[in-house]
Amino acid sequence: MSRILVCGGGLIGLCAAMMLGRDGHRVTVLETDPEDHPSTSVEGWHSWQRPGVAQFRQPHSLHSRFRMVSDRELPGLTEGLLRAGCVWVDYLDGQFLPPTITDRAPRPGDEAMRCVAGRRPTVEWVVAAMAQAAPNVTIRRGTKVRELITGTSAIPGVPHVAGVRMMAGEEIRADLVVDAMGRRSPACEWILGAGGRSPIEESEDGNFVYFGRYFSGQQRPRRMGSTLTPMGLFSILTLDGDNDTWSVTLYTSSKNKAMRALRDPVTFHRVVSACPLQAHWLDGEPMTDVLLMAGVLDRYRRFVVDGRPVVTGFAAVGDAWACTNPSGGRGLSVGLLHAQVLRDVARRHINNPEAFARDYDAETDRQVGPYYRNQIAADRARVAEMNALDQGLAMPAPNPVTAKLLAAASEDADVFRGILEIAMCVALPQDVIARPRVAAKLAELEGEPLPPPPGIIDRHRLAALLDS
């Protein structure tokens, strides 16, 4: 079988390596950070240093799509997560359904929407331990790639990647080089250095800033609202964690300088306490200070330009291909879906570099691209709302279809399931809207005034909470 190099030993890089190794390819993972995963998952949270992953201790989500893909492609991963203390979350359990929905009967397939929750260090520890024992996978930590090396090309004028050169000068040959180096990927520089054309690249600051804190306690908080709730000038995100932990995150527009007061734990506590469906998530022992994250870029890359690959023998996966702000928590789920696409395309074309490059680009755009584009659109709309409210203006008109979907989901069990599938990366909005039951419900709301979003904290009250 083929020799494959995976540059980047984070969650998606290791999962991609295991998938490819299961198909018999000889896979070597090259990870810059030198420290191996510790002996226990508990140490993963307390002592594992991952300087190459800036968001390592920030809250993360594993949506239903993550579990669906891992159960198919990496059997045993879900069980390993549960053994490490991760927990099941079932948003179709009766306690999670809005009280306004009277039809609470289960539906066939509801069990597929269950997902597993855990902190990023714990999840990565499980994946790293599994990859360490995976067939045909070798992990080299503390190694840094300097550049791509090229070989004979099948397409005139298009370089073919034949491996990498390490910082120390070592050359490692491969039939395919996979870039799984995440948000900091140097792929464009590598490709230009190899003589290739620059990939298409779009990037922008999403203009969100995040304030998060972890808690622990003997009993996880009972969920009374949705995981992600808009509150006007900010949104609040509540996530279950592993081993009796959970997190609360507030995010807002980075242009709202007054919100920097949330870095103070007392102010953070006061604002969360004003959120009626989330205040009880503070009923635990704080495990951290308020963690700040800002300056996160939305970025998209495409490696076929004007119908021609910029190089062959190379593929970018997960955040190295496209990344968004974590407001929807979709990064790991979409990344694992992308790794599955990589495996499927490699099965068809690993011995035909040109066919691989074209098919991987097309399947990435078809299967994974819509999740990126939908998240970008949602984030732009949300930050525009926040900025308008901060200036004392009326909120921009919402997307009419999305507004009707949310209104219908508060009363109809099938529309609620559709909304959940969208949030969990199981279905795209356009597919949910096309379902006859959902389309009929939306048609009933045509021309009807839609209720305003509940629970918004207005700017004057928020200012008082921040200044108290």
Side-chain angles (χ1 to χ4, degrees), residues 390-420:
D390 186 36
Q391 296 169 33
L393 305 174
M395 284 205 304
N399 179 294
V401 176
T402 301
K404 286 188 287 186
L405 263 177
L406 292 172
S410 67
E411 299 180 351
D412 185 273
D414 292 303
V415 180
F416 177 84
R417 282 169 168 79
I419 287 281
L420 183 61

Short mmCIF file of all heavy atoms in Angstrom, two decimals, residues 390-420:
data_model
loop_
_atom_site.label_atom_id
_atom_site.label_comp_id
_atom_site.label_asym_id
_atom_site.label_seq_id
_atom_site.Cartn_x
_atom_site.Cartn_y
_atom_site.Cartn_z
N ASP A 390 -25.26 47.43 20.29
CA ASP A 390 -24.27 48.21 21.03
C ASP A 390 -24.36 49.69 20.68
O ASP A 390 -24.08 50.56 21.51
CB ASP A 390 -22.88 47.67 20.72
CG ASP A 390 -21.79 48.34 21.55
OD1 ASP A 390 -22.06 48.65 22.73
OD2 ASP A 390 -20.69 48.55 21.02
N GLN A 391 -24.76 50.00 19.45
CA GLN A 391 -24.89 51.38 19.00
C GLN A 391 -26.29 51.96 19.27
O GLN A 391 -26.59 53.08 18.87
CB GLN A 391 -24.58 51.46 17.51
CG GLN A 391 -23.15 51.07 17.16
CD GLN A 391 -22.95 50.90 15.68
OE1 GLN A 391 -23.58 51.58 14.87
NE2 GLN A 391 -22.08 49.96 15.29
N GLY A 392 -27.14 51.16 19.91
CA GLY A 392 -28.48 51.63 20.21
C GLY A 392 -29.41 51.58 19.02
O GLY A 392 -30.46 52.24 19.02
N LEU A 393 -29.07 50.81 18.00
CA LEU A 393 -29.89 50.70 16.80
C LEU A 393 -30.78 49.47 16.88
O LEU A 393 -30.56 48.56 17.69
CB LEU A 393 -28.99 50.61 15.56
CG LEU A 393 -27.96 51.73 15.38
CD1 LEU A 393 -27.06 51.42 14.19
CD2 LEU A 393 -28.66 53.07 15.19
N ALA A 394 -31.77 49.43 16.02
CA ALA A 394 -32.60 48.23 15.92
C ALA A 394 -31.78 47.10 15.31
O ALA A 394 -30.91 47.33 14.46
CB ALA A 394 -33.82 48.51 15.06
N MET A 395 -32.06 45.88 15.75
CA MET A 395 -31.35 44.74 15.18
C MET A 395 -31.70 44.59 13.71
O MET A 395 -32.85 44.81 13.32
CB MET A 395 -31.70 43.45 15.93
CG MET A 395 -31.05 43.31 17.27
SD MET A 395 -30.88 41.59 17.80
CE MET A 395 -32.54 40.98 17.72
N PRO A 396 -30.73 44.20 12.88
CA PRO A 396 -31.04 43.93 11.47
C PRO A 396 -32.12 42.86 11.36
O PRO A 396 -32.24 41.98 12.23
CB PRO A 396 -29.71 43.45 10.90
CG PRO A 396 -28.67 43.91 11.86
CD PRO A 396 -29.32 43.96 13.19
N ALA A 397 -32.89 42.92 10.30
CA ALA A 397 -33.94 41.91 10.09
C ALA A 397 -33.30 40.53 9.98
O ALA A 397 -32.31 40.35 9.26
CB ALA A 397 -34.71 42.23 8.83
N PRO A 398 -33.82 39.55 10.69
CA PRO A 398 -33.23 38.21 10.63
C PRO A 398 -33.52 37.54 9.29
O PRO A 398 -34.42 37.96 8.55
CB PRO A 398 -33.93 37.47 11.77
CG PRO A 398 -35.26 38.14 11.89
CD PRO A 398 -35.00 39.60 11.57
N ASN A 399 -32.76 36.53 8.99
CA ASN A 399 -33.07 35.70 7.83
C ASN A 399 -34.49 35.15 7.99
O ASN A 399 -34.78 34.49 9.00
CB ASN A 399 -32.06 34.56 7.72
CG ASN A 399 -32.32 33.64 6.55
OD1 ASN A 399 -33.33 32.95 6.50
ND2 ASN A 399 -31.41 33.63 5.60
N PRO A 400 -35.40 35.42 7.07
CA PRO A 400 -36.80 35.06 7.29
C PRO A 400 -37.02 33.56 7.43
O PRO A 400 -37.86 33.11 8.22
CB PRO A 400 -37.51 35.62 6.06
CG PRO A 400 -36.45 35.81 5.03
CD PRO A 400 -35.20 36.13 5.79
N VAL A 401 -36.28 32.75 6.67
CA VAL A 401 -36.45 31.30 6.77
C VAL A 401 -35.96 30.81 8.11
O VAL A 401 -36.62 30.00 8.79
CB VAL A 401 -35.71 30.59 5.61
CG1 VAL A 401 -35.82 29.08 5.76
CG2 VAL A 401 -36.30 31.02 4.26
N THR A 402 -34.79 31.28 8.55
CA THR A 402 -34.26 30.87 9.85
C THR A 402 -35.21 31.29 10.97
O THR A 402 -35.46 30.52 11.91
CB THR A 402 -32.87 31.50 10.07
OG1 THR A 402 -32.00 31.09 9.03
CG2 THR A 402 -32.30 31.08 11.42
N ALA A 403 -35.73 32.52 10.88
CA ALA A 403 -36.65 33.00 11.92
C ALA A 403 -37.89 32.12 11.99
O ALA A 403 -38.38 31.78 13.09
CB ALA A 403 -37.02 34.45 11.64
N LYS A 404 -38.44 31.74 10.84
CA LYS A 404 -39.62 30.87 10.84
C LYS A 404 -39.30 29.47 11.35
O LYS A 404 -40.10 28.85 12.05
CB LYS A 404 -40.22 30.81 9.43
CG LYS A 404 -40.96 32.09 9.04
CD LYS A 404 -41.72 31.95 7.74
CE LYS A 404 -40.82 31.92 6.53
NZ LYS A 404 -41.56 31.93 5.25
N LEU A 405 -38.12 28.97 11.00
CA LEU A 405 -37.71 27.67 11.51
C LEU A 405 -37.67 27.66 13.04
O LEU A 405 -38.18 26.75 13.69
CB LEU A 405 -36.33 27.30 10.96
CG LEU A 405 -36.23 26.40 9.74
CD1 LEU A 405 -34.77 26.23 9.34
CD2 LEU A 405 -36.88 25.04 9.98
N LEU A 406 -37.04 28.68 13.61
CA LEU A 406 -36.93 28.75 15.07
C LEU A 406 -38.29 28.90 15.72
O LEU A 406 -38.56 28.30 16.77
CB LEU A 406 -36.02 29.91 15.45
CG LEU A 406 -34.54 29.75 15.07
CD1 LEU A 406 -33.79 31.05 15.32
CD2 LEU A 406 -33.90 28.61 15.84
N ALA A 407 -39.16 29.70 15.11
CA ALA A 407 -40.50 29.86 15.67
C ALA A 407 -41.28 28.55 15.62
O ALA A 407 -41.93 28.16 16.59
CB ALA A 407 -41.24 30.96 14.91
N ALA A 408 -41.21 27.85 14.49
CA ALA A 408 -41.93 26.59 14.35
C ALA A 408 -41.36 25.52 15.27
O ALA A 408 -42.08 24.66 15.79
CB ALA A 408 -41.89 26.12 12.90
N ALA A 409 -40.03 25.55 15.49
CA ALA A 409 -39.38 24.53 16.32
C ALA A 409 -39.83 24.60 17.77
O ALA A 409 -39.72 23.61 18.51
CB ALA A 409 -37.87 24.68 16.23
N SER A 410 -40.34 25.75 18.20
CA SER A 410 -40.78 25.87 19.59
C SER A 410 -42.10 25.15 19.84
O SER A 410 -42.50 24.97 21.00
CB SER A 410 -40.91 27.35 19.97
OG SER A 410 -41.97 27.95 19.24
N GLU A 411 -42.78 24.74 18.76
CA GLU A 411 -44.09 24.10 18.93
C GLU A 411 -44.21 22.76 18.23
O GLU A 411 -45.09 21.97 18.57
CB GLU A 411 -45.19 25.03 18.42
CG GLU A 411 -45.27 26.36 19.16
CD GLU A 411 -46.38 27.25 18.63
OE1 GLU A 411 -46.96 26.90 17.57
OE2 GLU A 411 -46.65 28.28 19.26
N ASP A 412 -43.35 22.51 17.25
CA ASP A 412 -43.50 21.29 16.45
C ASP A 412 -42.30 20.38 16.68
O ASP A 412 -41.14 20.78 16.48
CB ASP A 412 -43.61 21.65 14.97
CG ASP A 412 -43.89 20.43 14.11
OD1 ASP A 412 -42.92 19.76 13.70
OD2 ASP A 412 -45.08 20.14 13.86
N ALA A 413 -42.57 19.13 17.05
CA ALA A 413 -41.50 18.19 17.39
C ALA A 413 -40.63 17.85 16.20
O ALA A 413 -39.41 17.65 16.34
CB ALA A 413 -42.10 16.92 17.99
N ASP A 414 -41.21 17.78 15.01
CA ASP A 414 -40.41 17.42 13.84
C ASP A 414 -39.52 18.57 13.38
O ASP A 414 -38.38 18.35 12.95
CB ASP A 414 -41.33 16.96 12.70
CG ASP A 414 -42.02 15.65 13.03
OD1 ASP A 414 -41.30 14.67 13.30
OD2 ASP A 414 -43.26 15.61 13.04
N VAL A 415 -40.05 19.79 13.46
CA VAL A 415 -39.22 20.94 13.12
C VAL A 415 -38.10 21.09 14.15
O VAL A 415 -36.95 21.40 13.80
CB VAL A 415 -40.05 22.22 13.03
CG1 VAL A 415 -39.16 23.41 12.66
CG2 VAL A 415 -41.17 22.07 12.01
N PHE A 416 -38.42 20.83 15.42
CA PHE A 416 -37.38 20.88 16.46
C PHE A 416 -36.27 19.89 16.14
O PHE A 416 -35.08 20.21 16.27
CB PHE A 416 -37.99 20.56 17.82
CG PHE A 416 -36.98 20.52 18.94
CD1 PHE A 416 -36.58 21.69 19.57
CD2 PHE A 416 -36.41 19.33 19.36
CE1 PHE A 416 -35.64 21.67 20.59
CE2 PHE A 416 -35.47 19.29 20.37
CZ PHE A 416 -35.09 20.46 21.00
N ARG A 417 -36.62 18.69 15.71
CA ARG A 417 -35.60 17.70 15.35
C ARG A 417 -34.76 18.18 14.16
O ARG A 417 -33.56 17.94 14.11
CB ARG A 417 -36.26 16.36 15.04
CG ARG A 417 -36.68 15.58 16.29
CD ARG A 417 -37.57 14.39 15.97
NE ARG A 417 -37.73 13.52 17.12
CZ ARG A 417 -38.54 13.75 18.15
NH1 ARG A 417 -39.30 14.86 18.12
NH2 ARG A 417 -38.62 12.92 19.17
N GLY A 418 -35.41 18.85 13.22
CA GLY A 418 -34.66 19.39 12.09
C GLY A 418 -33.65 20.43 12.52
O GLY A 418 -32.50 20.44 12.05
N ILE A 419 -34.07 21.33 13.41
CA ILE A 419 -33.16 22.35 13.94
C ILE A 419 -31.99 21.68 14.65
O ILE A 419 -30.83 22.09 14.53
CB ILE A 419 -33.91 23.29 14.89
CG1 ILE A 419 -34.83 24.23 14.11
CG2 ILE A 419 -32.94 24.07 15.76
CD1 ILE A 419 -34.11 25.39 13.47
N LEU A 420 -32.29 20.64 15.42
CA LEU A 420 -31.23 19.92 16.14
C LEU A 420 -30.26 19.27 15.16
O LEU A 420 -29.04 19.32 15.37
CB LEU A 420 -31.85 18.88 17.06
CG LEU A 420 -30.87 18.09 17.93
CD1 LEU A 420 -30.11 19.02 18.87
CD2 LEU A 420 -31.62 17.02 18.73
#
